[in-house]
Amino acid sequence: MDIFVRLLINVMEEGLIYGIMAMGVLITYSVLHFPDLSVDGTFPLGACVTAALITAGVHPVLALCISFVCGGAAGSVTGFLHVRLKISDLLSGILVMTALWSVNLAVLGGRAVAPFFNQPTVFNSGLPMLLPEALRPRRVLIILAVITLIVKLLLDLYYKTQSGLLLRATGDNAQYVVSQGVSPGRMKVTGLMLGNGLTALSGSVLAQQAQSASVSSGTGIVVMGLASVIIGTSLLRGLRFVRPTTMALTGCVLYKACLVAAMQMGLPTNYLKMLMAALFIAALVTGNVLDGRRGARAKLDRT
């Protein structure tokens, strides 16, 4: 029983950390319909910036905010390449992802891995130390839940603003955005900045939880994010009261649960990336099947 509880807590912790990234991918993929591969670079960017800042004595909460800004700046470059220089969306993300590898190495002073053990983080200093003694063993999960909830609520509030409504319209009806006197290109840049900012924030949270940063931590992040979004939206799309951000978070937790279950059944770690790809394919196929059934049901209702 204790083993099951530990596995469940581990799944929830990882699901919440990467769920922040999934909410960022939700913006670029589901809202803007933009296949943004730069998230593979902005995720470790957030981790590397956090490691450099905390090592320099910067407050861990401020490190989270700065990481978000750095990720947003990287997203603006992707948007600039696509909107202003007319480079394709896929290639724009690849170019930024490639360039960020060198940037991340430079941030860490040429090192591929930068540990910062025994340094203050959001999990071992400040408010977590004020928790009751009975809750301190679960402080990591509690702090992750608080951070993720704050991000989700702020994102939900942003969607209700005029800028958020225009952002959601950009991917589906760009002409409406033009009729409002706003450039769809500008809204694309805004969405890419927000999506990559959340991805970098996720990397920052992971770095503080692990107390280390690696330039290779972004490998496969785009697959994980897309799979999480597709799983969540496919399973919960019929529930109108569930917000898209909740769908992305749920999908990420389920995705991590599948990986952990496979590892517990004895799957060698060498096949982990193959399993990630298989889950992504399964999510895509399931999403297409469910969309087809909903479309067929809608036609029957109209006839």
Side-chain angles (χ1 to χ4, degrees):
M1 190 65 179
D2 290 339
I3 296 177
F4 175 78
V5 172
R6 285 197 296 269
L7 288 175
L8 180 62
I9 292 174
N10 181 61
V11 168
M12 290 301 301
E13 288 179 354
E14 291 195 7
L16 291 174
I17 292 174
Y18 291 103
I20 299 173
M21 174 273 302
M23 288 189 285
V25 173
L26 175 73
I27 297 172
T28 56
Y29 176 75
S30 293
V31 177
L32 295 179
H33 307 300
F34 191 105
D36 183 22
L37 297 183
S38 58
V39 296
D40 270 15
T42 50
F43 185 87
L45 174 66
C48 294
V49 168
T50 297
L53 291 174
I54 289 181
T55 302
V58 176
H59 194 281
V61 175
L62 183 57
L64 291 176
C65 299
I66 295 176
S67 297
F68 175 83
V69 173
C70 291
S76 70
V77 175
T78 304
F80 176 80
L81 293 177
H82 176 65
V83 174
R84 296 298 182 185
L85 300 186
K86 307 302 180 184
I87 299 175
S88 67
D89 46 13
L90 195 63
L91 187 55
S92 297
I94 292 174
L95 290 172
V96 173
M97 175 187 67
T98 304
L100 284 177
W101 179 271
S102 297
V103 173
N104 293 334
L105 280 174
V107 170
L108 294 184
R111 295 174 295 169
V113 179
F116 50 95
F117 302 113
N118 302 320
Q119 296 289 334
T121 67
V122 293
F123 301 105
N124 61 17
S125 64
L127 292 178
M129 296 297 101
L130 300 179
L131 290 172
E133 194 68 32
L135 296 178
R136 287 191 182 182
R138 300 286 181 262
R139 68 179 184 274
V140 172
L141 181 60
I142 294 172
I143 298 302
L144 285 174
V146 171
I147 294 174
T148 305
L149 181 61
I150 290 174
V151 172
K152 173 190 156 36
L153 293 178
L154 289 177
L155 194 55
D156 288 339
L157 288 175
Y158 171 73
Y159 281 149
K160 295 180 181 179
T161 64
Q162 183 179 7
S163 176
L165 293 173
L166 290 174
L167 177 65
R168 287 189 287 169
T170 299
D172 296 322
N173 189 358
Q175 193 59 41
Y176 170 78
V177 180
V178 174
S179 68
Q180 299 299 310
V182 179
S183 168
R186 191 178 76 184
M187 295 312 302
K188 277 189 177 182
V189 174
T190 300
L192 287 167
M193 291 177 65
L194 184 56
N196 282 277
L198 291 175
T199 302
L201 178 62
S202 177
S204 176
V205 173
L206 177 64
Q208 296 199 40
Q209 190 241 11
Q211 296 188 25
S212 67
S214 171
V215 296
S216 61
S217 60
T219 305
I221 284 296
V222 65
V223 174
M224 184 189 305
L226 290 175
S228 300
V229 170
I230 294 170
I231 290 172
T233 53
S234 298
L235 295 178
L236 303 177
R237 186 178 298 171
L239 304 177
R240 295 185 179 181
F241 61 89
V242 178
R243 297 185 181 275
T245 49
T246 305
M247 295 180 186
L249 284 171
T250 303
C252 194
V253 172
L254 292 175
Y255 180 86
K256 280 295 178 182
C258 291
L259 293 179
V260 170
M263 298 297 291
Q264 290 300 310
M265 288 187 292
L267 181 73
T269 55
N270 293 340
Y271 297 101
L272 187 59
K273 296 297 183 183
M274 183 182 295
L275 176 61
M276 292 174 65
L279 288 174
F280 187 32
I281 294 171
L284 286 172
V285 173
T286 302
N288 292 335
V289 171
L290 291 178
D291 286 342
R293 289 180 178 177
R294 291 189 183 103
R297 192 179 299 116
K299 287 182 180 179
L300 289 174
D301 293 339
R302 288 195 296 265
T303 57

